[in-house]
Coordinates of all heavy atoms in Angstrom, one line a residue:
Chain B
I303 N 5.3 13.9 20.0 CA 4.5 13.7 21.2 C 3.1 14.4 20.9 O 3.1 15.6 20.5 CB 5.1 14.3 22.4 CG1 6.4 13.5 22.8 CG2 4.1 14.2 23.6 CD1 7.1 14.0 24.0
D304 N 2.1 13.7 21.0 CA 0.8 14.3 20.6 C -0.3 13.7 21.5 O -0.1 12.7 22.2 CB 0.6 13.9 19.2 CG -0.2 15.0 18.5 OD1 -0.8 15.8 19.2 OD2 -0.2 15.1 17.3
M305 N -1.4 14.3 21.4 CA -2.6 13.8 22.1 C -2.4 13.8 23.6 O -2.9 12.9 24.3 CB -3.0 12.4 21.6 CG -3.7 12.4 20.3 SD -5.3 13.2 20.4 CE -6.1 12.0 21.5
V306 N -1.7 14.7 24.1 CA -1.5 14.8 25.5 C -2.0 16.2 25.9 O -2.2 17.1 25.1 CB -0.1 14.5 26.0 CG1 0.2 13.1 25.7 CG2 0.9 15.4 25.3
K307 N -2.1 16.4 27.2 CA -2.5 17.7 27.7 C -1.5 18.8 27.5 O -1.8 19.8 26.9 CB -2.8 17.5 29.2 CG -3.2 18.8 29.9 CD -4.7 19.1 29.5 CE -5.1 20.3 30.3 NZ -4.3 21.5 30.3
S308 N -0.3 18.5 27.9 CA 0.7 19.5 27.8 C 1.9 18.9 27.0 O 2.7 18.1 27.5 CB 1.2 19.9 29.2 OG 2.5 20.3 29.1
K309 N 1.9 19.3 25.8 CA 3.0 18.8 24.9 C 4.3 19.2 25.4 O 5.3 18.3 25.5 CB 2.7 19.3 23.5 CG 2.8 18.3 22.4 CD 2.5 19.0 21.1 CE 3.4 18.4 20.1 NZ 3.1 18.6 18.8
W310 N 4.5 20.4 25.8 CA 5.8 20.9 26.2 C 6.2 20.3 27.5 O 7.4 20.0 27.6 CB 5.7 22.4 26.3 CG 5.7 23.1 25.0 CD1 4.7 23.7 24.4 CD2 6.9 23.2 24.1 NE1 5.1 24.1 23.2 CE2 6.4 23.9 23.0 CE3 8.2 22.9 24.2 CZ2 7.2 24.2 21.9 CZ3 9.0 23.2 23.2 CH2 8.5 23.8 22.0
G311 N 5.2 20.1 28.3 CA 5.6 19.4 29.6 C 6.2 18.1 29.4 O 7.2 17.7 30.0
L312 N 5.5 17.3 28.5 CA 6.0 15.9 28.3 C 7.3 16.0 27.6 O 8.2 15.1 27.9 CB 5.0 15.2 27.5 CG 4.0 14.4 28.4 CD1 3.2 13.4 27.5 CD2 4.7 13.7 29.5
A313 N 7.5 16.9 26.6 CA 8.8 17.0 25.9 C 9.9 17.3 26.9 O 10.9 16.7 26.9 CB 8.7 18.0 24.9
L314 N 9.6 18.2 27.8 CA 10.5 18.6 28.9 C 10.9 17.4 29.7 O 12.0 17.1 30.0 CB 10.0 19.7 29.7 CG 11.0 20.3 30.7 CD1 12.0 21.1 30.0 CD2 10.2 21.1 31.7
A315 N 9.8 16.6 30.1 CA 10.0 15.4 30.9 C 10.9 14.4 30.2 O 11.8 13.8 30.8 CB 8.7 14.8 31.3
A316 N 10.7 14.3 28.9 CA 11.5 13.4 28.1 C 13.0 13.8 28.1 O 13.9 13.0 28.4 CB 11.0 13.3 26.7
V317 N 13.2 15.1 27.9 CA 14.6 15.6 27.9 C 15.2 15.5 29.3 O 16.4 15.0 29.4 CB 14.6 17.0 27.4 CG1 16.0 17.6 27.5 CG2 14.1 17.1 25.9
V318 N 14.4 15.8 30.3 CA 14.9 15.7 31.7 C 15.3 14.2 31.9 O 16.4 13.9 32.5 CB 13.9 16.2 32.7 CG1 14.2 15.7 34.1 CG2 13.8 17.7 32.6
T319 N 14.5 13.3 31.5 CA 14.8 11.9 31.7 C 16.2 11.5 31.2 O 17.0 10.9 31.8 CB 13.7 11.0 31.0 OG1 12.5 11.5 31.5 CG2 13.9 9.6 31.3
V320 N 16.4 12.0 29.9 CA 17.7 11.6 29.3 C 18.8 12.3 30.0 O 19.8 11.6 30.3 CB 17.6 11.9 27.8 CG1 19.0 11.7 27.2 CG2 16.6 11.0 27.1
L321 N 18.7 13.6 30.2 CA 19.8 14.3 30.8 C 20.1 13.8 32.2 O 21.3 13.6 32.5 CB 19.4 15.8 30.8 CG 19.4 16.5 29.5 CD1 19.3 18.0 29.6 CD2 20.5 16.1 28.6
S322 N 19.1 13.6 33.0 CA 19.4 13.2 34.3 C 19.9 11.8 34.4 O 20.7 11.5 35.3 CB 18.2 13.4 35.3 OG 17.1 12.9 34.7
S323 N 19.5 11.0 33.4 CA 20.1 9.6 33.4 C 21.6 9.8 33.1 O 22.4 9.0 33.6 CB 19.4 8.8 32.4 OG 19.7 9.2 31.1
L324 N 22.0 10.7 32.2 CA 23.4 10.9 31.9 C 24.2 11.4 33.2 O 25.2 10.8 33.5 CB 23.6 11.9 30.8 CG 23.4 11.4 29.4 CD1 23.7 12.4 28.4 CD2 24.3 10.2 29.2

Side-chain angles (χ1 to χ4, degrees):
Chain B
I303 297 180
D304 212 341
M305 279 294 291
V306 291
K307 177 75 173 49
S308 150
K309 226 176 142 166
W310 284 104
L312 269 194
L314 186 72
V317 174
V318 162
T319 307
V320 171
L321 292 192
S322 45
S323 69
L324 279 184

